[in-house]
Amino acid sequence: MHNRRVKRSSLACLPCRSRHAKCDGKRPSCTRCAEVGQSCSYAPSRRGLNSRPYLRDHATSHGSPQQAAGIAGFEQCTMLSLPADAPPMSAMLNVDLGDSSTDCIPLSENSSRSENIANDPLIHSYYKNFHVCHPFVLPRKHLVELCQDPRTEHGLAPLLTAMRFMGNIYSAREWSIPLKDRVESTLSNLGPSDPIQVQCRILYSIALFWYDYKADAKSQLDRAAQIAIDLQMFRAEFAASQGATDQVWRESWRRTWWTLYIVDAYYAGTLGTMNFRVMDLDVTVELPCDESDYELGVIPIPRTLEEFNQREFITDNVHFSSFAYLIGAVQCAASAISITPKVATVEDSTHLIQAVDCSLDGWQLLLPREQKHVIKGKGEIDELLFQAHLLIHVSTVGLHRPLSALNFNAIEKVSSCAREPPRDTPTPELVNVHTTRVLRAVEAQIRLLALPAPRFHHTPFTTCMVSEGMLALLSACSTLLKGKELAIARDQIRMTLGCLKVLGEVWPRTARNVREIQTIARCVLGLGKGSNDCDMRGSSDLSSLDTQGVDPNPVIDGLSKDNNDLGAALSTIDDLCGWYSAGDADDFPWGMIDGL
């Protein structure tokens, strides 16, 4: 590093320079600034100037606050990245601010001050891209105000670091090792009972998981759960004790617990483990309010979980937020799973329909008119309701498919979202009912994905919810659907893969899942090169499958990785494309599919 010549990049804009990020130099706005909604501006020519104070003074007097903050941030960044024996700063005045060859990040000790937060492009990216999916940290306006207060700004610094890390993933579409190291450093310096750890570790865990660091993600969420339980964050008294008179802070802590609850369930469902960390507790913390109230900082008297679970008996028109209905959906899904046997029998067929369906259907039937649809008045998608509906539908698919005529194909094992297929399940008398339930749930999922929106932007946890429904639809294409219905289903599969590809542009684990689904689809539908290989028996050779570069173990840095070797996963499959039959598809009355 001592002798490396710093490359000059005269086209870099000031915001990119302050972040030490690559800049394409487009005018009036570079691509990076345009993506994050950042004001883009360029410094005047520095020819003949060798004074960095001039740059700062010029930006202050003639430019925007972002420019001044950006240059000040670079100065601090440069100092932090120099070795102890580096030449003095005065000897390096000709180093250009746009160098993108180092991993330096602006890390001034005052980086949490309000003027930096208000104009920080990574914080902006966090709120634009991630906050809408999991809105538990403070609203942006309130965060800026607290960062201006010397009594609270220092305590928020670790959270800001985690938010910047997540924001960078969305804006730069890459894994920043310096930012990751900064997150781990700040976490290690926090006190063992500091509740801000829970918020930080939830964010860090999600980023780790969808970058395919499954073991590290689990470790972070385990730690977050243990801290939350030790602090009794699930009790109503916790938020009151932390927020003092600040009702927005109190609401944020309530949301933190419930986000932990939801994400814990998402992990259990995504991984197929069904091991819940925080499910069976005597929870008294109140439910979150509406997003509009939270963003405005006008927090109403919160509703309780007990009120929500007795809403069918309330005669008055009591309102519950979308967040509350998402919590209720998680409750229903967890309850349904808990009473469903791991190995279904004929007798379980009636049990599932009578007991489990009542829970899932009850959630949908008790939705108020304004929350039965996830499109808001201005055409925006209510992300929390979107997740809730999707969760209810995927739960229906997962619970009914083992007893339906939608047989499991052994090649489904390729998918990291696939569930263990049932073996030797006898055909239940109500097989047609189960099949219909699955197909209707899949259709409902597809309607959600087809909602008009500027872009497909949702939590990465929708990946496996969508994928499980698509695997069931592929089975229907292979065994049940014909003619027009088959053509429609194929279009639906194309659209669904397109949606997942959008998520895959940000999250490598989703991108890998897309390639897995493509491999399965080619095999199941008998398409292209891979279809001939699907007839092989007793083969565990991964090269026989055209996986389009599926890498089950991408390596980014030294973090631990789980072994997801697809070859090993397929090694015990006797018939690579044989069916695990849940009943004779020929006995299914084709007319039942009409109108679904």
Side-chain angles (χ1 to χ4, degrees):
M1 181 174 179
H2 296 60
N3 299 321
R4 182 170 62 186
R5 183 177 181 82
V6 179
K7 180 180 178 182
R8 178 179 294 275
S9 175
S10 60
L11 294 178
C13 69
L14 287 171
C16 285
R17 291 178 176 187
S18 70
R19 294 175 54 208
H20 225 61
K22 293 181 180 179
C23 180
D24 57 17
K26 289 185 179 180
R27 296 172 186 265
S29 177
C30 75
T31 301
R32 190 180 294 271
C33 286
E35 285 181 351
V36 299
Q38 170 73 25
S39 176
C40 186
S41 55
Y42 291 82
S45 173
R46 296 170 54 214
R47 190 176 301 278
L49 299 173
N50 64 351
S51 171
R52 198 166 301 278
Y54 167 83
L55 290 176
R56 184 171 55 248
D57 294 342
H58 182 88
T60 303
S61 59
H62 300 286
S64 65
Q66 293 98 314
Q67 297 173 14
I71 292 175
F74 175 79
E75 290 180 352
Q76 180 68 15
C77 171
T78 305
M79 293 299 293
L80 287 173
S81 65
L82 293 177
D85 57 350
M89 191 69 181
S90 59
M92 302 182 64
L93 291 178
N94 288 326
V95 174
D96 186 80
L97 299 181
D99 170 42
S100 60
S101 60
T102 69
D103 287 325
C104 176
I105 310 292
L107 296 174
S108 81
E109 62 184 41
N110 294 324
S111 62
S112 65
R113 291 194 178 278
S114 61
E115 60 269 20
N116 292 323
I117 298 306
N119 301 308
D120 188 321
L122 297 186
I123 297 296
H124 174 84
S125 175
Y126 174 88
Y127 279 103
K128 176 184 177 182
N129 296 295
F130 187 81
H131 185 71
V132 66
C133 299
H134 300 281
F136 65 99
V137 304
L138 290 163
R140 185 173 184 174
K141 179 181 178 182
H142 203 75
L143 182 71
V144 170
E145 292 174 353
L146 289 179
C147 286
Q148 194 175 15
D149 188 339
R151 296 171 297 177
T152 54
E153 64 165 340
H154 178 72
L156 289 168
L159 176 61
L160 296 174
T161 301
M163 292 168 67
R164 288 189 179 104
F165 177 61
M166 183 67 78
N168 182 73
I169 288 174
Y170 278 97
S171 62
R173 306 292 173 90
E174 63 186 16
W175 183 268
S176 170
I177 294 177
L179 282 173
K180 182 267 295 182
D181 291 343
R182 182 66 174 167
V183 170
E184 294 188 345
S185 175
T186 55
L187 283 173
S188 66
N189 292 328
L190 287 173
S193 60
D194 191 334
I196 206 75
Q197 281 203 60
V198 180
Q199 293 187 332
C200 295
R201 292 184 188 276
I202 290 173
L203 291 178
Y204 190 34
S205 176
I206 293 173
L208 286 166
F209 186 81
W210 291 102
Y211 256 81
D212 239 345
Y213 298 117
K214 192 165 68 175
D216 295 280
K218 179 181 181 300
S219 175
Q220 290 296 330
L221 198 70
D222 285 345
R223 183 65 180 140
Q226 191 57 57
I227 294 170
I229 292 171
D230 291 345
L231 294 175
Q232 293 198 321
M233 196 175 282
F234 55 91
R235 308 293 296 176
E237 296 79 12
F238 174 82
S241 68
Q242 295 295 317
T245 58
D246 190 333
Q247 294 298 324
V248 181
W249 247 129
R250 292 188 181 190
E251 174 71 7
S252 178
W253 288 121
R254 289 191 288 268
R255 286 166 171 258
T256 299
W257 168 261
W258 287 119
T259 298
L260 177 65
Y261 176 88
I262 291 167
V263 171
D264 180 37
Y266 282 177
Y267 275 131
T270 299
L271 296 172
T273 61
M274 304 309 166
N275 295 324
F276 301 105
R277 301 169 181 82
V278 297
M279 190 66 63
D280 298 323
L281 295 169
D282 183 19
V283 178
T284 61
V285 63
E286 299 93 342
L287 298 171
C289 64
D290 283 324
E291 298 312 301
S292 57
D293 292 336
Y294 188 45
E295 293 300 318
L296 290 173
V298 181
I299 311 299
I301 297 174
R303 296 290 180 182
T304 66
L305 184 62
E306 183 180 14
E307 288 177 308
F308 182 82
N309 288 334
Q310 296 176 3
R311 62 193 183 283
E312 67 270 31
F313 303 118
I314 299 177
T315 56
D316 297 332
N317 188 21
V318 177
H319 174 78
F320 295 97
S321 67
S322 297
F323 207 140
Y325 279 102
L326 174 55
I327 294 166
V330 172
Q331 274 190 321
C332 288
S335 174
I337 290 168
S338 68
I339 61 176
T340 302
K342 292 183 178 180
V343 180
T345 64
V346 174
E347 291 75 19
D348 293 319
S349 175
T350 304
H351 170 72
L352 277 173
I353 294 170
Q354 292 178 343
V356 176
D357 280 354
C358 287
S359 175
L360 299 175
D361 288 349
W363 181 90
Q364 297 183 76
L365 291 170
L366 288 175
L367 279 172
R369 181 185 299 273
E370 67 273 11
Q371 287 169 311
K372 287 185 182 295
H373 305 288
V374 302
I375 293 287
K376 300 178 185 177
K378 296 182 179 180
E380 300 174 345
I381 291 179
D382 185 324
E383 171 64 20
L384 300 182
L385 274 180
F386 179 90
Q387 293 178 39
H389 282 277
L390 207 60
L391 180 60
I392 291 294
H393 298 321
V394 74
S395 299
T396 302
V397 171
L399 294 168
H400 283 280
R401 190 182 170 195
L403 292 164
S404 75
L406 299 172
N407 303 322
F408 286 79
N409 191 314
I411 192 64
E412 291 183 28
K413 188 120 178 157
V414 168
S415 173
S416 52
C417 290
R419 299 293 167 261
E420 191 70 27
R423 291 181 180 273
D424 303 323
T425 302
T427 303
E429 294 180 1
L430 300 174
V431 61
N432 298 343
V433 176
H434 296 292
T435 305
T436 303
R437 293 285 292 179
V438 173
L439 291 175
R440 284 180 174 169
V442 172
E443 288 287 341
Q445 276 194 339
I446 291 168
R447 286 196 295 270
L448 286 172
L449 301 184
L451 289 172
R455 59 192 177 118
F456 187 82
H457 179 77
H458 302 286
T459 174
F461 287 106
T462 60
T463 298
C464 284
M465 298 185 200
V466 171
S467 297
E468 193 166 344
M470 187 155 45
L471 292 174
L473 184 57
L474 281 169
S475 176
C477 288
S478 178
T479 60
L480 299 180
L481 304 181
K482 297 182 182 298
K484 181 180 178 181
E485 287 77 14
L486 178 60
I488 292 173
R490 289 284 298 276
D491 286 338
Q492 293 170 338
I493 291 169
R494 291 187 188 98
M495 182 201 69
T496 305
L497 280 171
C499 292
L500 290 178
K501 280 187 174 182
V502 175
L503 286 181
E505 293 174 2
V506 180
W507 301 109
R509 185 181 177 92
T510 302
R512 175 164 66 90
N513 185 68
V514 168
R515 296 191 294 269
E516 294 164 352
I517 295 292
Q518 289 171 330
T519 298
I520 295 167
R522 284 195 301 273
C523 178
V524 172
L525 300 177
L527 304 174
K529 173 185 173 184
S531 61
N532 293 330
D533 298 317
C534 292
D535 294 329
M536 296 173 61
R537 295 181 178 273
S539 172
S540 61
D541 183 7
L542 183 61
S543 65
S544 67
L545 294 176
D546 179 9
T547 57
Q548 293 188 351
V550 173
D551 180 6
N553 293 293
V555 177
I556 301 175
D557 60 30
L559 290 170
S560 66
K561 306 290 289 182
D562 282 8
N563 181 10
N564 294 320
D565 182 10
L566 298 182
L570 293 171
S571 62
T572 60
I573 296 179
D574 295 326
D575 180 3
L576 194 58
C577 261
W579 294 102
Y580 290 120
S581 178
D584 189 355
D586 293 334
D587 293 335
F588 187 83
W590 300 96
M592 283 196 63
I593 306 300
D594 294 340
L596 293 184

